[in-house]
Amino acid sequence: MAFTPSKLIWMNGKLMPWDEARIHVLSHVVHYGSSVFEGIRCYDTRRGPAVFRLREHVRRLFDSAKIYRMPIPYSVDQLVAACLETVKANGFRACYIRPVAFRGYGDVGLNPQGCPVDVAIAVWGWGAYLGSEALERGVDVQVSSWTRLAPNTLPAMAKAGANYANSQLIKMEALANGFAEGIALDTQGYVSEGSGENLFLVRDGKIATPPLGASILPGITRASVIVLAREMALEVSEERVPREALYLADELFFTGTAVEITPVRSVDRIEVGPGRPGPVTKRIDAAFRAILSGEADDRHGWLEPV
Ligand code: PMP
């Protein structure tokens, strides 16, 4: 998908030109996928540019690093400030923010502990991840033939670069088969999530989403949607979801920083409800957008002004 590069990237404490933010080919991460990262959005709100749940994203970065025994040589406060500084330095009002921490150049063996932990923050302009039509009309998806990470292999609660080898397989298979996205099942055969987004189902006005134990990333958009739905007195449960529940749902939608709230209109060529975004999806999306645009009060303190 097309993106707009920025001028400056923050790398190991300094802003430098986009083209100069390079690493050595023998950096550990290139060979062994030893990175953890975040995806965050800055919105052009009525009260000026603001980053959505920045501190929670940075906290998840530190959680991911902790799982991989990767000491990040900065504090949460320092990286929160660095994200804001990078957005500001590039003059964006709305953009995507990508902090990444990785094992750099030092030793060539498998053990990452002899390699430095490098940290970079890039920002770029990025529109609707699954296309502009997706948000309005919904997307067609398949259940992937690839299974999500087994819980005793790669920890799904870590947003680690290595997990995205699995996501790439899911995504490429879906595209090759003419779908916008793939939904993976967990190793038990229950619904997990999309290649880069969480999933919600609606049936008879009740909302369900797979639990943490279904090898999902604990999405920050997912957590926000749960709060907004409960505010509307909608029932939300985190529960195991069998594959066929996808076909029987009245409404289905993805959540994630990149996709925001994207309706799903068919699964495996079976229409979800009437094949159009439904009323619950639309209500939640409207409440979400009202916060992001600054139209509604930031009653949960989710927006960090730039
Ligand atoms: N699952 C996966 C695998 C993801 O990559 C993402 C995007 N970070 C999500 C779910 C959604 O998480 P969030 O709402 O925090 O962006």
Side-chain angles (χ1 to χ4, degrees), residues 279-303:
V280 175
T281 309
K282 284 188 184 160
R283 270 182 76 195
I284 294 173
D285 186 52
F288 185 58
R289 298 236 151 253
I291 291 181
L292 303 180
S293 64
E295 210 177 292
D297 220 23
D298 179 23
R299 56 194 178 277
H300 302 292
W302 287 346
L303 294 173

Side-chain angles (χ1 to χ4, degrees), residues 57 60 159 164 193 195-198 217 219-221 255-257:
H57 278 283
R60 189 171 66 186
K159 190 168 170 64
Y164 289 81
E193 61 177 350
S195 68
E197 50 281 306
N198 295 117
L217 181 76
I220 289 163
T221 319
T255 65
T257 299

